[in-house]
Amino acid sequence: QSFSVRLNTQGLKPGVHYASVHAVDSSDEQRGPLFSVPITVIIPHSRFVTSDQPKFLLNDSSNESIELKDNGLDLTTSFRLEQGVPNRRFVSVPIGAEWATIKLKSTEVTTNGGAPRILLHAIPFVRGDMPNKECQLKRLYVVKEGVEEEYHVRVKGGSSLEVCLQLLWLANPNPALVTADVEFHSLNIRSPALPTLMSSQPIAITPSSEFARLGASSPLRAEQLNPECKLKSALRTLRPSNVDITLGSAERDSEPPSDAELASNADEDPSQIYEMRLSYKLKVEGDKPIEVRPSFPSLFNQLYDSPVDSQIWSLQDNNAKMITYGSSMHHASPTSLKKGDYTVSLLLRHPSRSTLDQMKDIPCEISMTLPSALSCNIYSELDKASTPAVKGDGRKPMGKKLLSKGSHQDIYVARPTDALPSWVAPGDVLQGALVVDKGKEAVSSMKVIYVAPPKSTAKDGDDEKPKAKEKEDSLADVVFKAKLGHLASLRTKNVTVYKEIITTLKDERPHSVP
């Protein structure tokens, strides 16, 4: 069965509102709720300001308010902060916005000699499964009179942004008044169809295309372009070389029956858990050590909702010595490896052997740090990007440029022209980032990948000339060389015969025998 819940949010004050729907058994209400449906409603503070009424007071004392600026886009809000009490503001993000700039400044003079310390926590609302640590902003702000601090956070157009300030209670004996300016920016580079804040689809430069194309525009305000692109690591995908599925320990690796199973059958036995151990062979080449970090992206950042258990991996050398290890939630630190053979082992567990058997080809990703970052030139013209190897024609990469409101700029990211490290194999994926504005790298960067092409086999014209055909040995020459080869065995065994053959060969070909 299903039922609908309709909400009337008219008349609600700005902020967070919570309620819950409880389902009870009408014949036995004493049992309490059979289940509950939590309902959270957030009313943005920015809903109460318009171009006709640009300012809205948040309390009776009038020391906290939110105000719409003259451009009809940006907001100014004031905070009165008490020790240890979070103060939250919710603002609606304009359609098309990609990041917000939060400017903080104090509105009162500090008289007790101590600078207030404030924790800034900005959280954009995003749909999807992206971990909050990849999108939220946390900064410690030390109030300085006359100094404005600026912070940037990614946002999603059409959603909401929470800006929360809290005065640290240990070092702040007095309340503080702070003003926050929230400005919205966009270069319209991310696809508007993406439901999440970030996309797992990077800018890809294929081996045959030589470049990648994208466009930037400024729908909200004039923006600055100052692009830069660098590739910093190489990714190599490995398949398991050995798979072993076994039954876990009877005492330790067992899953007790649920309450429902025990209610239907009190003698229900625990189900056994199977474990699968996979081995991956890694060969490190090159004269210098390489920083390496294994990972399993298909299972990464999944803990309580993971399809399998354990997800523990280890890296060992050729002598089975443990070098490093990791799990599915946090990336391990890169490990410097010398030339040689290594093994990555992965442990997965699941109650179903069939499930593990169907996952026996799970790939392992090896991230190898490049000795030095490879730069990719960025052009505004297609003909320059499609011929990245051409030099000496006066071409210049795209530099700093001001993009006026409503204008558009095509951006072409060319492949790197510097030689790839010798250990990079065809099919390896070189990974880096395109920063659209180097001054705002945290919010204007996008992932870039370049698939390593097959190694060049082209030769110079001189190498293509057919070589003169060498003269073949005659039968007499072959017999003569065979006699010379036989002399080495006679020199120590029969000196008399050796001297006779030497004399005969000298008479036969005096210029061939020393």
Side-chain angles (χ1 to χ4, degrees), residues 391-412:
K391 299 179 180 179
D393 59 350
R395 65 177 62 191
K396 293 183 179 179
M398 180 186 294
K400 183 183 296 186
K401 179 180 180 180
L402 183 64
L403 205 61
S404 59
K405 181 180 179 179
S407 59
H408 177 84
Q409 175 65 57
D410 289 326
I411 299 176
Y412 301 91

Side-chain angles (χ1 to χ4, degrees), residues 247-482:
L247 190 63
S249 170
E251 296 80 11
R252 182 187 58 191
D253 299 325
S254 61
E255 187 176 29
S258 63
D259 294 340
E261 291 173 333
L262 290 176
S264 60
N265 183 10
D267 298 329
E268 183 75 20
D269 295 328
S271 58
Q272 289 297 114
I273 298 178
Y274 291 87
E275 61 181 29
M276 178 170 64
R277 299 181 183 272
L278 304 97
S279 298
Y280 303 81
K281 298 298 182 182
L282 171 63
K283 187 177 184 64
V284 176
E285 299 176 335
D287 299 332
K288 297 181 179 180
I290 303 174
E291 290 190 346
V292 172
R293 185 188 65 194
S295 64
F296 296 85
S298 61
L299 298 175
F300 195 69
N301 270 333
Q302 298 185 66
L303 185 59
Y304 302 111
D305 54 351
S306 174
V308 291
D309 191 15
S310 290
Q311 305 181 42
I312 301 174
W313 61 263
S314 63
L315 175 64
Q316 302 174 346
D317 63 9
N318 203 26
N319 298 320
K321 177 185 176 182
M322 178 78 70
I323 299 177
T324 186
Y325 52 87
S327 65
S328 62
M329 283 305 297
H330 304 284
H331 276 305
S333 300
T335 302
S336 181
L337 299 181
K338 297 181 180 179
K339 182 178 181 180
D341 296 325
Y342 299 87
T343 301
V344 179
S345 300
L346 173 66
L347 171 64
L348 300 177
R349 306 199 312 162
H350 197 273
S352 172
R353 181 187 179 94
S354 175
T355 300
L356 294 177
D357 188 64
Q358 296 176 64
M359 296 179 62
K360 62 184 179 182
D361 288 330
I362 184 171
C364 172
E365 182 182 84
I366 304 296
S367 175
M368 298 174 285
T369 305
L370 299 177
S372 58
L374 297 174
S375 297
C376 298
N377 288 330
I378 302 173
Y379 299 98
S380 59
E381 299 173 346
L382 175 60
D383 61 324
K384 303 296 188 297
S386 60
T387 56
V390 176
K391 299 179 180 179
D393 59 350
R395 65 177 62 191
K396 293 183 179 179
M398 180 186 294
K400 183 183 296 186
K401 179 180 180 180
L402 183 64
L403 205 61
S404 59
K405 181 180 179 179
S407 59
H408 177 84
Q409 175 65 57
D410 289 326
I411 299 176
Y412 301 91
V413 184
R415 67 163 178 84
T417 55
D418 294 337
L420 304 182
S422 59
W423 47 264
V424 174
D428 288 351
V429 178
L430 278 72
Q431 179 178 265
L434 165 66
V435 180
V436 185
D437 184 1
K438 290 186 286 187
K440 301 180 179 67
E441 181 176 353
V443 292
S444 67
S445 62
M446 303 177 66
K447 184 186 297 185
V448 176
I449 62 172
Y450 171 54
V451 182
K455 296 185 181 298
S456 176
T457 57
K459 299 180 180 180
D460 296 334
D462 295 338
D463 297 335
E464 295 294 330
K465 295 180 180 179
K467 296 181 180 180
K469 188 175 181 180
E470 297 181 359
K471 183 179 179 181
E472 296 183 357
D473 293 337
S474 62
L475 178 60
D477 294 333
V478 174
V479 173
F480 183 77
K481 290 180 179 180

Side-chain angles (χ1 to χ4, degrees), residues 217-269:
S217 60
S218 51
L220 302 180
R221 62 185 349 121
E223 302 288 358
Q224 178 178 273
L225 286 177
N226 191 11
E228 180 185 55
C229 182
K230 291 185 178 181
L231 304 176
K232 298 182 179 181
S233 61
L235 307 179
R236 181 172 299 172
T237 302
L238 305 178
R239 289 290 187 180
S241 59
N242 184 50
V243 179
D244 185 21
I245 302 177
T246 59
L247 190 63
S249 170
E251 296 80 11
R252 182 187 58 191
D253 299 325
S254 61
E255 187 176 29
S258 63
D259 294 340
E261 291 173 333
L262 290 176
S264 60
N265 183 10
D267 298 329
E268 183 75 20
D269 295 328

